[in-house]
Amino acid sequence: GAGVSQSPSNKVTEKGKDVELRCDPISGHTALYWYRQSLGQGLEFLIYFQGNSAPDKSGLPSDRFSAERTGGSVSTLTIQRTQQEDSAVYLCASIPDRPWETQYFGPGTRLLVL
Amino acid sequence: DAKTTQPTSMDCAEGRAANLPCNHSTISGNEYVYWYRQIHSQGPQYIIHGLKNNETNEMASLIITEDRKSSTLILPHATLRDTAVYYCIVRASSNTGKLIFGQGTTLQVKP
C-alpha cells in the first residue's frame, strides 16, 4: 500500500519568506510526527499529533514554527519568516495507533533558505 | 528515555554478518530497544525492536544481554544496499512516542 508522502520534495526559499510543508500519512494511522534533520545530524523531534488529543509541541524551536493536522489525516508544518538555520530535511512519520509502535517515515522535504 | 552509545562508524565485507553494538547502561525495565536505519537521502526505516528477549525478523536479529545494558543488531549477510546510518534508540512504551535519534553508526558495506 501507499506509504507516507511529503510535498514538496525540495523547497528553496528566501530568508524571511513563509513556507508550508505537507505530510500525507498512511491511511488509518492515528498518530503523526514531524522531525527535522540538519546536515550530518540526527533527527530532532518537532511535534506530535495523536488522534484528537492536544498535540505535543515541545520540540518546536520557536514560535515561527507551527503545525496542524486537519481531519485527523493530512498535516501541514508552517515556518514563518524563515531563517538560514531553518535549512534542513523535514521528515514526517505516522504510526498505526499506540505511541510505541513502529514509525513509518516519509521521504522528507529538503528545505534550503537562502 | 535512556541514553545510548554507538560506535561512530564500522565497515563490513559484503556477504558477511554485520554486528552493530549499542550500549544503554541506564535502561529502565519498561524501556524497549529499537533499531532504525537511514539510507542516504531517505527517511529512517524501522528494523527491529525488543524488550528483553532476542528477536529476529526478515531484516535482522536483535540480541539483548541478560542485564539489558547492551544490545547488538545483526545483519546476517550484509549487502551493499545495507550501507546506511544505524540508530539504536531506547524508549519507554508509556511516553508520547517521539524518537530521540543520536548520531548512530555509519555502516559501510564494502565489496
Side-chain angles (χ1 to χ4, degrees), chain B residues 18-74:
Chain B
N19 298 284
L20 293 95
C22 180
N23 288 321
H24 31 79
S25 58
T26 61
I27 192 170
S28 300
N30 66 340
E31 290 181 316
Y32 287 74
V33 180
Y34 288 80
W35 283 84
Y36 281 75
R37 74 179 182 184
Q38 189 171 22
I39 296 170
H40 183 62
S41 299
Q42 297 183 22
Q45 175 190 27
Y46 166 82
I47 302 173
I48 198 167
H49 76 284
L51 183 62
K52 55 182 179 181
N53 296 322
N54 297 337
E55 302 288 343
T56 295
N57 63 22
E58 65 278 4
M59 290 183 68
S61 295
L62 174 60
I63 308 298
I64 303 174
T65 58
E66 191 169 344
D67 63 8
R68 304 209 321 123
K69 293 186 177 182
S70 65
S71 60
T72 301
L73 177 74
I74 300 172

Side-chain angles (χ1 to χ4, degrees), chain A residues 33 35 37 40-45 48 56 58-59 91 95 99-108 110, chain B residues 32 34 36 38 40-46 49 87 91-103:
Chain A
Y33 301 78
Y35 297 86
Q37 187 172 33
Q41 302 296 310
L43 268 68
E44 175 189 3
F45 166 77
Y48 161 71
D56 175 358
S58 61
L91 290 152
I95 58 172
W100 59 88
E101 289 193 55
T102 300
Q103 296 193 16
Y104 296 86
F105 283 82
R110 286 155 185 77
Chain B
Y32 287 74
Y34 288 80
Y36 281 75
Q38 189 171 22
H40 183 62
S41 299
Q42 297 183 22
Q45 175 190 27
Y46 166 82
H49 76 284
Y87 296 98
R91 192 188 66 180
S93 63
S94 57
N95 71 3
T96 58
K98 59 191 176 188
L99 296 173
I100 309 298
F101 285 69
Q103 296 302 306

Side-chain angles (χ1 to χ4, degrees), chain A residues 3 8 13 17 22 39 45 103:
Chain A
T13 190
K17 300 283 189 181
R22 177 186 169 107
L39 188 63
F45 166 77
Q103 296 193 16

Side-chain angles (χ1 to χ4, degrees), chain A residues 24-76:
Chain A
D24 286 83
I26 294 172
S27 177
H29 282 195
T30 61
L32 185 149
Y33 301 78
W34 283 98
Y35 297 86
R36 75 175 175 182
Q37 187 172 33
S38 300
L39 188 63
Q41 302 296 310
L43 268 68
E44 175 189 3
F45 166 77
L46 296 177
I47 189 169
Y48 161 71
F49 296 90
Q50 172 68 57
N52 296 320
S53 303
D56 175 358
K57 304 179 182 181
S58 61
L60 294 178
S62 77
D63 59 8
R64 296 187 294 105
F65 288 73
S66 63
E68 63 177 18
R69 190 178 184 196
T70 54
S73 181
V74 173
S75 178
T76 302

